[in-house]
Amino acid sequence: MRDRVERLIERLVRASAVERIAVSVAALFASILVGAVLVFVSGGFASCRTGLDLAGWTFCYNPIQVYYELFLGAMGHPLQGGWSPMNYSLATTLQQTTLLIFTGLSVAVAFRAGLFNIGTQGQLVVGGLATAVSVVYAAAIVPGGLVGTIVLIPIGVLVGAIFGGLFGAIPGALKAYADANEVITTIMLNFVAVGVASTLLSWQFQDPNSSNPQTQPVPEYAEIPTIPYVGFGGRMDFSLLAFAFAVALMLGVAWLLARTSFGYELRTSGVQPEAAAYGGVDDKRMVVSSMTLSGALGGIGGAFWVLMVHGRWLENVPELGFDGIAVSILAGNNPLGVGAAAFLFGILQSGSRSIGTATDVPPELVGVLSGLIILFVAMPEFFRMIGSRYVHVERERPARADGGDAESETGGDADA
């Protein structure tokens, strides 16, 4: 039995990209089938006026309608007449996709470095608050209009990245120089971030004109603009420019990891830390750098949540950072895969709202359906990630920090 499990894990770890996609698609269909049965059976215990009468039972829920609303409702029902691609449901889907790209990338970068950053949520909270406060104060000295848009938005995003990065560097430094477990420290720092942000809000940055816990609103010209005529309306809280930035950042992170010496050292540290250290990589510096970059990406997510969605920082921050963990696992910690995984999450979240308005299915059951899909699709990648720690798919040659070849200088075995 043990040998069969080991062979299965080894086969999963050594699966090609095409095989991994095929496994994910099969898992998606399996989750839909299991979820359909669950919805149908649950309808037998609900009360309704009309339903499917079968063997003396009345089944109230139609699984086909539920999945129709879940997937096509998230797009605004494109099969119906009068459909426009600029509809509210699709805007909600893409808005969630944009934000989850940032948090998914944040978690993925840490994972690729062999670190578990559970603290993206806290880094998003800190980065978002810093963005809102900095833009509000900077708006007092920066001219308004187009100049304000060009100046304030980059300032807000940069400040969010800096504060998110600094907050991410804390568990990195604790890990590197005190051997503190980063899983524990990042989890604890999530609570610290919420507590500190709430205290600062009530102490200094509370909007005096509102009884809700929130900062003053940033000027309208400091919010991320929409594209005239071809973009979504301002009321939809989504900007194609923000989405384009997220995609560009995703490509940039993929390039950084695949084509630069820093990315090579980061990946090697995650796969073979001993070989990386032998090759001249400063493991302490790499741990702090990786967590700082991861935190900066989470902080950018907070900045866009402020500048694109609400125009201010609210105390009730959605759990985008925790969702980013599932997004990263689903993507196999691949930056390019993060986009597809984030889009699936965006569909599930937007489609869930469509189910709630178009059917009588309770929101708890909708949440179970979404969870089933995520669980089924993410589990193969999760087991692959765990198994890769014990099955070496490939052996990367260590590189010295100065870009030299360790083997050529030492003549030893690179993987020793």
Side-chain angles (χ1 to χ4, degrees), residues 7 22-23 33 37 41 49 104 117 148 161 173 175 209 320 340 357 390:
R7 285 197 299 271
V23 169
L33 181 61
V37 174
V41 173
R49 294 182 178 178
N117 182 13
K175 170 75 174 179
N209 299 317
L320 295 164
T357 56
Y390 304 98

Side-chain angles (χ1 to χ4, degrees), residues 118-119 167 181-194:
I118 315 297
F167 203 70
N181 189 299
E182 79 276 12
V183 176
I184 303 300
T185 55
T186 51
I187 290 176
M188 298 301 292
L189 283 171
N190 282 331
F191 297 102
V192 173
V194 173

Side-chain angles (χ1 to χ4, degrees), residues 352-363:
S352 297
R353 300 178 186 178
S354 180
I355 292 176
T357 56
T359 71
D360 294 328
V361 176

